[in-house]
Amino acid sequence: MKVMKFGGTSVGTPQRMKEVTALVTKSGEPVFVVLSAMSGTTNSLVEISDYLYKKNPDGANEVINGLERKYMKHLDELFAQEDYRTQTAEFLREEFNYLRSFTKELFTSFEEKAIVAQGEMMSTNMVVNYMKEQGINAVLLNALDFMRTDKNAEPDPVYIKEKLAAQMEKNPDAQVYITQGFICRNAYGEIDNLQRGGSDYTASLIGAALNAEEIQIWTDIDGMHNNDPRVVDHTQPVHQLQFEEAAELAYFGAKILHPTCVQPAKYAGIPVRLLNTMDPDAEGTTISNATEYGKIKAVAAKDNITAIKIKSSRMLLATGFLRKVFEIFESYQTPIDMVCTSEVGVSMSIDNSSHLGEIMDELKKYGTVTVDTNMCIICVVGDLDWQNVGFETKVMDAMKDIPVRMISYGGSNYNISFLIREEDKKRALQNLSDQLFK
């Protein structure tokens, strides 16, 4: 069985929902489908929550009413039969009345998560009813019945596998199983979510639980490109990536995929394909445990980086210095991207500067601190094992005219990274494309 995940753009209109239905049923084989909320819906639900936090029920109700009108308008375009249109309209009315019920109560983060979960509830109900209208044996499984995180807020794979199997056994002859992406329950039974990249994460977890043949992530572009198409001309899709390569690209700026979401598929050895709903015949990108040796695959960039350097003569031959430095970042829950050290100093980059002032105050206890802002990390990904003679030289040649603040190489066999000024980003990406891919 294949698992197919469709993002918000892919189910963003009634016409797109019809196209998704055609894609899902094309092979005639049983499939498991994971759907996001219709595009724009989650943003509206977050806006509703924001009004309720600010104790402005009128503002919340105005957004709710606008969203309800938008959804009700879609029904005439989606359904041809009155009974399915009426059934779906009744469900949506209950959903929006449920959202209105929050305007009368104390509002906390628990209520916010319940509100944000309703986008996926609505999109899956609309699509499964449309499939039934088309005579397809489709079954809607509620993700809250089997998708759960543990006390560390990590997915509970044993629970997911057991509960999902029990749900599917109730409908063994279904052609299409549909569920919601992103949403789950936590260890205490409360409605929660899988955070960033949540729908992709749901698909990966379900694929691992089912030991699926393949996990397909359908979006609005044809896979990962070998450079940023918004910045560089004539980029091309990368047809094959190793899981580590995909994670590096995702972490360093390739927005099509969140770096954590493919981990369950990686450990289960299940290939993940990135495909385009607007061009379903395009080859897309296949991510697997296979490595294409001797090949540089792609370049990505991560903006809004801050570089911090701490210099201290006390660091010379001192044990425990780096531990003290890293503990400061840990205490402010600020992850470090790149690290470079010398005998008398250490440089680090971070992408979250919300606690920069406090971190600098703490670091000044140990040495002289300097900060560079408006920086960018350029990441080159491929088979960059140190024994591949000359690969790093090719990359360096492309960067020869770009001022480089830091270089990271050797921490991974798949990545060499450069910290540069944001103003040099476009030139660096174009130079790398010209040198590596043309």
Side-chain angles (χ1 to χ4, degrees):
M1 180 179 284
K2 291 179 181 176
V3 175
M4 304 173 75
K5 175 265 174 179
F6 294 90
T9 308
S10 300
V11 291
T13 65
Q15 181 57 36
R16 294 271 171 85
M17 290 180 173
K18 293 177 182 180
E19 291 166 2
V20 162
T21 298
L23 277 172
V24 162
T25 56
K26 188 176 180 181
S27 69
E29 298 175 359
V31 293
F32 201 111
V33 178
V34 177
L35 298 182
S36 297
M38 290 180 75
S39 55
T41 300
T42 301
N43 288 341
S44 294
L45 296 172
V46 169
E47 186 181 3
I48 291 164
S49 300
D50 192 41
Y51 276 119
L52 294 175
Y53 273 125
K54 293 177 169 62
K55 302 190 187 313
N56 183 354
D58 292 339
N61 276 320
E62 194 170 325
V63 179
I64 292 169
N65 292 341
L67 195 60
E68 183 176 23
R69 286 193 296 272
K70 175 184 171 184
Y71 268 80
M72 291 303 181
K73 202 172 164 187
H74 289 324
L75 299 186
D76 288 335
E77 189 180 338
L78 185 61
F79 295 102
Q81 297 179 26
E82 186 60 37
D83 53 347
Y84 282 104
R85 184 163 48 241
T86 302
Q87 180 183 332
T88 310
E90 287 175 1
F91 170 80
L92 290 176
R93 272 192 286 273
E94 289 176 9
E95 280 289 300
F96 286 106
N97 286 334
Y98 175 67
L99 293 177
R100 289 185 186 97
S101 72
F102 289 98
T103 64
K104 306 180 181 89
E105 298 176 2
L106 177 69
F107 197 78
T108 69
S109 61
F110 298 110
E111 285 76 26
E112 179 185 13
K113 286 175 180 175
I115 284 178
V116 172
Q118 301 316 305
E120 280 74 14
M121 292 294 191
M122 290 189 278
S123 64
T124 50
N125 186 277
M126 291 170 71
V127 171
V128 80
N129 283 347
Y130 173 73
M131 286 186 177
K132 287 177 179 177
E133 184 188 64
Q134 302 305 304
I136 299 162
N137 184 3
V139 175
L140 179 58
L141 305 181
N142 191 332
L144 300 180
D145 291 337
F146 63 86
M147 191 61 61
R148 187 178 79 168
T149 55
D150 59 23
K151 291 181 180 179
N152 296 317
E154 294 294 331
D156 187 338
V158 176
Y159 180 95
I160 293 167
K161 185 172 185 176
E162 178 187 318
K163 297 298 181 184
L164 179 58
Q167 291 292 317
M168 293 178 70
E169 282 170 9
K170 295 175 184 176
N171 300 278
D173 300 322
Q175 182 183 350
V176 181
Y177 298 92
I178 297 182
T179 196
Q180 302 85 16
F182 179 61
I183 67 175
C184 64
R185 290 193 187 275
N186 60 26
Y188 308 101
E190 300 154 341
I191 295 177
D192 211 326
N193 57 63
L194 296 171
Q195 305 298 319
R196 292 176 296 178
S199 292
D200 293 348
Y201 207 178
T202 300
S204 190
L205 290 163
I206 288 172
L210 298 177
N211 194 25
E213 171 191 344
E214 183 177 83
I215 299 164
Q216 298 179 352
I217 307 292
W218 291 81
T219 64
D220 54 357
I221 59 172
D222 49 347
M224 280 193 177
H225 279 231
N226 60 6
N227 211 322
D228 189 338
R230 297 165 301 181
V231 178
V232 175
D233 298 327
H234 310 301
T235 65
Q236 297 291 327
V238 181
H239 296 308
Q240 194 278 336
L241 286 169
Q242 204 261 7
F243 277 115
E244 296 288 344
E245 293 171 339
E248 296 278 9
L249 287 171
Y251 183 76
F252 285 105
K255 302 297 183 188
I256 189 172
L257 197 69
H258 193 267
T260 61
C261 73
V262 292
Q263 292 298 327
K266 173 188 172 184
Y267 297 139
I270 300 168
V272 175
R273 289 186 71 200
L274 308 179
L275 296 163
N276 186 356
T277 34
M278 316 306 163
D279 186 9
D281 295 325
E283 185 178 344
T285 301
T286 299
I287 305 169
S288 68
N289 283 318
T291 298
E292 280 189 296
Y293 293 102
K295 194 169 180 181
I296 294 176
K297 296 292 187 66
V299 181
K302 189 176 185 182
D303 297 325
N304 301 314
I305 301 297
T306 300
I308 303 169
K309 179 166 75 174
I310 174 170
K311 188 171 66 174
S312 172
S313 57
R314 287 181 291 166
M315 181 180 174
L316 186 67
L317 301 178
T319 58
F321 181 85
L322 286 177
R323 174 180 57 79
K324 291 172 185 175
V325 169
F326 291 147
E327 280 177 349
I328 292 169
F329 289 89
E330 182 184 2
S331 67
Y332 290 102
Q333 296 184 318
T334 302
I336 295 171
D337 287 321
M338 294 174 65
V339 180
C340 291
T341 63
S342 72
E343 283 299 318
V344 293
V346 56
S347 290
M348 296 147 292
S349 71
I350 58 174
D351 63 2
N352 178 1
S353 58
S354 56
H355 295 288
L356 181 60
E358 298 100 310
I359 289 170
M360 286 181 64
D361 287 342
E362 295 278 349
L363 289 175
K364 284 175 180 176
K365 297 175 184 176
Y366 302 108
T368 305
V369 180
T370 55
V371 173
D372 295 308
T373 57
N374 300 317
M375 306 295 284
C376 168
I377 294 177
I378 302 289
C379 165
V380 180
V381 166
D383 177 26
L384 289 163
D385 187 279
W386 66 278
Q387 296 184 71
N388 291 335
V389 177
F391 274 36
E392 68 279 4
T393 306
K394 282 185 182 179
V395 179
M396 298 287 189
D397 280 348
M399 298 292 290
K400 64 185 179 184
D401 298 324
I402 309 291
V404 175
R405 168 72 175 74
M406 287 169 61
I407 300 175
S408 174
Y409 177 59
S412 160
N413 286 337
Y414 302 100
N415 171 13
I416 180 169
S417 295
F418 301 86
L419 184 67
I420 65 173
R421 297 176 304 203
E422 280 188 7
E423 63 195 70
D424 296 320
K425 168 185 164 180
K426 180 170 182 165
R427 194 156 53 100
L429 290 178
Q430 190 66 60
N431 286 358
L432 285 163
S433 263
D434 294 344
Q435 180 80 10
L436 301 177
F437 306 129
K438 290 183 181 178

